[in-house]
Amino acid sequence: MKFNILDKGGRWIFYYLISSVVFAGGSHLIAYISRNNMWFFTPMSLIQFLILTIFFYHVIKNQLIRKILLIVLGLITCFATIDFFFLEGPMAYNSYSLSIENLLLLLYSVIYFWELMRDEDLVKQSIFVNNLPNFWYNSGLFIFHCSNFMLSLAYNFLQHTHFDRSIQNATLSVTFIGGFAEVVLIYIGLLKAQKFRS
């Protein structure tokens, strides 16, 4: 796989994959050393939100929506900063900002799917959507953020209550399964990119 065969959207997915490795490795290492990695987790989530917003900025064609994406990116960055420093704090899971980021990424995925279904250029060129790398990237992101939404919404609550830990473990398991599906679908997208450019 050569980096130069990827289009702009594909390159931002590549950056997302790199950030995911840093995110996972850094979170694990910090949790091992200090047992609380939330001060790292929240900023990394914001960085990934930024990367994926830029991905959607490149793949969504509607100019108004693209402008809205940039405005929302600025607003979410401000809100996440306030949440991190003043609302939930740097040592807690920032459910407020993470839930909104997750919900917005789901919305962006739906908008992109909607545009694909209505794209007359693809019909004229007889291109099936399942041949497009961005379709597969988006499918992976959609599945992961669907599976991650309940975690982002409820994890802080579950951490600070005396509920049976099986609920928390089940929520984490669904997220891990969604993450595995995301990696598989992004990999398929990268294979499609290689065929698409050859």
Side-chain angles (χ1 to χ4, degrees):
M1 173 63 63
K2 293 182 180 177
F3 183 75
N4 59 5
I5 69 168
L6 299 174
D7 63 2
K8 287 181 180 179
R11 291 180 184 196
W12 283 99
I13 288 296
F14 183 77
Y15 302 145
Y16 170 70
L17 291 174
I18 292 172
S19 74
S20 296
V21 172
V22 173
F23 195 170
S27 294
H28 183 73
L29 180 63
I30 293 166
Y32 179 76
I33 294 170
S34 68
R35 301 190 63 80
N36 190 330
N37 61 4
M38 289 298 108
W39 62 268
F40 178 76
F41 190 92
T42 303
M44 278 303 301
S45 296
L46 181 61
I47 290 169
Q48 288 199 320
F49 178 76
L50 173 113
I51 291 169
L52 292 177
T53 299
I54 296 172
F55 163 74
F56 285 112
Y57 178 82
H58 287 298
V59 299
I60 290 174
K61 293 182 178 179
N62 186 292
Q63 293 301 315
L64 177 60
I65 293 174
R66 290 175 67 166
K67 288 177 184 175
I68 292 171
L69 288 179
L70 297 179
I71 294 167
V72 169
L73 179 59
L75 293 173
I76 291 299
T77 302
C78 292
F79 179 72
T81 303
I82 292 167
D83 192 17
F84 185 75
F85 287 108
F86 303 108
L87 297 178
E88 295 177 284
M91 303 309 280
Y93 186 89
N94 290 175
S95 287
Y96 303 151
S97 58
L98 293 171
S99 298
I100 294 171
E101 289 167 19
N102 200 95
L103 185 62
L104 286 169
L105 291 171
L106 273 173
L107 178 63
Y108 300 161
S109 288
V110 170
I111 290 170
Y112 179 65
F113 279 136
W114 180 75
E115 273 198 348
L116 275 182
M117 296 303 107
R118 298 170 53 89
D119 195 331
E120 293 180 5
D121 292 335
L122 294 178
V123 175
K124 289 175 184 174
Q125 297 173 43
S126 299
I127 297 175
F128 294 104
V129 292
N130 64 344
N131 288 325
L132 299 173
N134 290 329
F135 168 80
W136 292 98
Y137 306 148
N138 189 54
S139 298
L141 295 173
F142 180 76
I143 288 174
F144 174 70
H145 288 101
C146 280
S147 67
N148 191 48
F149 184 67
M150 281 307 297
L151 178 70
S152 62
L153 196 61
Y155 192 71
N156 201 14
F157 175 73
L158 292 172
Q159 273 188 321
H160 297 95
T161 56
H162 297 290
F163 280 110
D164 184 355
R165 288 293 171 203
S166 62
I167 298 171
Q168 184 175 331
N169 293 336
T171 310
L172 284 168
S173 297
V174 170
T175 300
F176 290 143
I177 292 167
F180 178 76
E182 177 189 44
V183 170
V184 170
L185 292 169
I186 287 175
Y187 179 71
I188 293 171
L190 292 172
L191 293 178
K192 294 286 183 182
Q194 199 164 0
K195 290 179 183 176
F196 208 68
R197 298 291 175 181
S198 59

